[in-house]
Amino acid sequence: MSIVQTIRNRRSVYDFNPESLTNETVAAILECAVWAPNHKSTEPWRFLVVNGNKKKKLADVYRKIQVGKTKSDDPAVLEIASRKGYEKLVSKPTIIGITCLKSDDAFRAREDYASVSCAIHNITLAAWEQGIGMQWSTSALTTHPEATNILKVDTAKEEIVGFLYAGYPAAVPDQTRIPASKLTTWFE
């Protein structure tokens, strides 16, 4: 598949087959991340591959987040939110967290965050080329103190940019985009 085909065909995937990704497969995909554009070569990214018991612990935190967002005191509604929150995370075959090192320099911090976003894009493209789908999540889980504690993220030094829920797609959604020609202004 050409890079253009990979870019145009890649989709966010929400439904996965239960098969987990091997550590070797994840490691190979992450190698593509570190080749993202990065001004001053600060290499601000770090990767957190979450499976097994750690995934269950994160799911417990996400359960609490979902219950907290529920605008009801009805125990049945709260139980549904709790169950769905937990099941959402444990149903993801592999979870990859991506962090960005912090900088006291605002411009450096902005450039590094952009580089980490590019690294995430490299990950999703490398995965797609191998038939692996991903969903990039920036939910409240990225900043929740229990989640950062579980993953040993020192929030004084780094922040979680997002979690990639990864696996082999059970379904690939259709998607359309506005053509670039309708969003481009040319100057001469």
Side-chain angles (χ1 to χ4, degrees):
M1 185 178 325
S2 77
I3 189 67
V4 172
Q5 288 173 314
T6 302
I7 290 168
R8 292 181 68 111
N9 291 328
R10 188 213 56 81
R11 300 287 182 268
S12 292
V13 173
Y14 303 94
D15 298 313
F16 299 94
N17 291 324
E19 179 185 352
S20 292
L21 304 178
T22 65
N23 290 347
E24 295 77 19
T25 299
V26 173
I29 290 167
L30 294 179
E31 280 301 321
C32 294
V34 301
W35 292 99
N38 179 223
H39 191 230
K40 302 282 188 197
S41 297
T42 58
E43 300 186 61
W45 38 70
R46 300 294 179 267
F47 310 106
L48 312 165
V49 182
V50 185
N51 287 306
N53 286 331
K54 289 289 186 191
K55 183 167 58 169
K56 290 176 183 174
K57 288 181 179 183
L58 273 187
D60 276 330
V61 175
Y62 194 69
R63 171 199 319 254
K64 293 175 193 175
I65 291 169
Q66 293 305 99
V67 168
K69 289 176 18 181
T70 304
K71 301 202 184 321
S72 174
D73 292 332
D74 182 338
V77 172
L78 294 172
E79 174 54 33
I80 290 169
S82 174
R83 182 178 40 80
K84 285 185 175 182
Y86 185 83
E87 288 174 0
K88 178 179 178 176
L89 252 62
V90 296
S91 72
K92 307 307 180 195
T94 300
I95 298 173
I96 303 168
I98 300 92
T99 71
C100 180
L101 296 177
K102 292 182 176 180
S103 174
D104 292 333
D105 179 277
F107 192 73
R108 164 71 28 236
R110 181 178 167 178
E111 284 189 334
D112 284 348
Y113 192 93
S115 290
V116 170
S117 295
C118 289
I120 291 171
H121 194 233
N122 281 7
I123 293 168
T124 64
L125 292 176
W128 191 258
E129 190 175 56
Q130 295 184 44
I132 297 164
M134 295 193 170
Q135 174 198 351
W136 180 359
S137 174
T138 57
S139 72
L141 193 61
T142 62
T143 58
H144 197 284
E146 284 184 64
T148 56
N149 185 48
I150 289 167
L151 298 175
K152 300 183 184 339
V153 173
D154 182 347
T155 57
K157 296 179 181 176
E158 65 184 324
E159 64 181 314
I160 299 174
V161 175
F163 290 101
L164 294 174
Y165 304 142
Y168 296 100
V172 176
D174 288 331
Q175 190 170 16
T176 60
R177 296 290 171 113
I178 298 169
S181 62
K182 295 184 186 255
L183 303 169
T184 304
T185 303
W186 297 86
F187 297 94
E188 294 189 31

